[in-house]
Amino acid sequence: MSPSKSRTDALMAGEELSSVAQRERRKRIVDATIALASKGGFDAVQMRAVADRADVALGTLYRYFPSKVHLLVSSLAVELERAQEKMDRTTVPGDSAYERVLFVLGRITRGLQRNPHLTEAMTRAFTFADASAGAEVDRVAWLMESMFTKAMSDDAPTDEQKAIARVIGDVWLSNLVAWVTRRATATDVANRLELTVRLLLK
Amino acid sequence: MSPSKSRTDALMAGEELSSVAQRERRKRIVDATIALASKGGFDAVQMRAVADRADVALGTLYRYFPSKVHLLVSSLAVELERAQEKMDRTTVPGDSAYERVLFVLGRITRGLQRNPHLTEAMTRAFTFADASAGAEVDRVAWLMESMFTKAMSDDAPTDEQKAIARVIGDVWLSNLVAWVTRRATATDVANRLELTVRLLLK
DNA sequence: GGAGTTTATAGAACGTGTTCTAATTCGGGC
DNA sequence: GCCCGAATTAGAACACGTTCTATAAACTCC
């Protein structure tokens, strides 16, 4: 009983999956999720459809991800990690924190805006998540925060830098949601982010 | 046809309801929503339960509010208006924008935290809202923004003040959500708000 | 006060997230 | 090779948001 439980937890965390087959199943599921979300957004990510496309039974899908929100937030984490890796491989221009943060923000924002449906699906899942998905949400929040602290300086971030990064993350997410729900244009978003970063870092 | 349509729109906006009976129905619905949300949060606000409690048919409920999200966001607007009126009747202490904004923030936040389930229901609906509820969401966003600009100064707000108010609103909401989903304690929230307002207004 | 229109009601019906069941397959230890 | 517990499968079942249908009540205009 106890070993089974710990293995199940590992499924959710996505690390240390016992077998190759399981790692592959998990990847197929996340891929299917991203594909469906890219095509039709949050509503198109239907659990039966994800299971079909990933060639997995519905019950298995739920064994790997206990809810649609867990599934989408975990996929968001995967995507952010990819973005972060890409960012790590590029040298961020600008000789002030202000300029570098704006560069990073602009680049990721434009990246997300290139895939509106996917962005809609993930941001809505993220903000709708309840307590049961706390771990996944925290992971994403941490990825966002570190994305911005890295842009501010190469050294370990100070508390104030962390606070600033968090505020930027909050504003970023809120604007992304406004854009996704068509309450703000891409220009609105860019302006507000610029203004926010200016208030905080200049 | 055309007069009927415009009357239906009025139902959603909540203004100019044709008859007394309709105004009363609408009020019963919002009251039922708030009562159910206060008791069990977002999940407890079930459309059949709201209809029952408001003594209204399910179809009627949907005629007044086209979705659960519309219903909850409209109720949030009602609650924020109440809070705003209360705030208008008290003199906000503090001789800097920083102090006054913090006072307002702290007071409203503590007010919401006194009713965790209601807060959970409303914030989750607000952040989950899709494009179809854009008008209701904008209204709430505007209420929040003006709440903070009023605290900053009695005069008409400058663009910078509006921008600051918006940032504060974003951070406030995000922290409220974190608290509601138990990813942050009340102390965390208070600290982060204090820090944010300090960064922006000091 | 009656015809026509709009609104409300009761309840069935439908879609999708989630859970449950029974049968099957897989993988590791003998 | 065989056994056992765990993982997977197919599919039924259930819950709740939403839509639809048929009927009744309320309102409007003459």
Side-chain angles (χ1 to χ4, degrees), chain A residues 93-161:
Chain A
D95 28 50
S96 65
Y98 167 76
E99 285 174 32
R100 286 193 301 273
V101 168
L102 260 192
F103 176 86
V104 170
L105 257 180
R107 193 181 246 245
I108 300 178
T109 302
R110 282 190 301 277
L112 289 177
Q113 289 179 336
R114 228 170 282 125
N115 200 338
H117 287 310
L118 181 61
T119 304
E120 185 253 4
M122 290 180 166
T123 55
R124 287 187 61 204
F126 182 77
T127 59
F128 189 57
D130 69 355
S132 81
E136 285 79 1
V137 170
D138 274 340
R139 169 154 185 73
V140 168
W142 181 86
L143 281 167
M144 277 176 40
E145 191 183 311
S146 71
M147 201 159 239
F148 300 134
T149 53
K150 277 186 193 175
M152 285 190 246
S153 120
D154 289 332
D155 308 335
T158 65
D159 283 350
E160 167 152 320
Q161 285 174 329

Side-chain angles (χ1 to χ4, degrees), chain A residues 68-81:
Chain A
K68 176 168 171 171
V69 163
H70 285 78
L71 175 55
L72 279 166
V73 177
S74 300
S75 304
L76 173 54
V78 168
E79 288 279 280
L80 279 186
E81 275 160 21

Side-chain angles (χ1 to χ4, degrees), chain B residues 60 127 171:
Chain B
T60 306
T127 59
V171 172

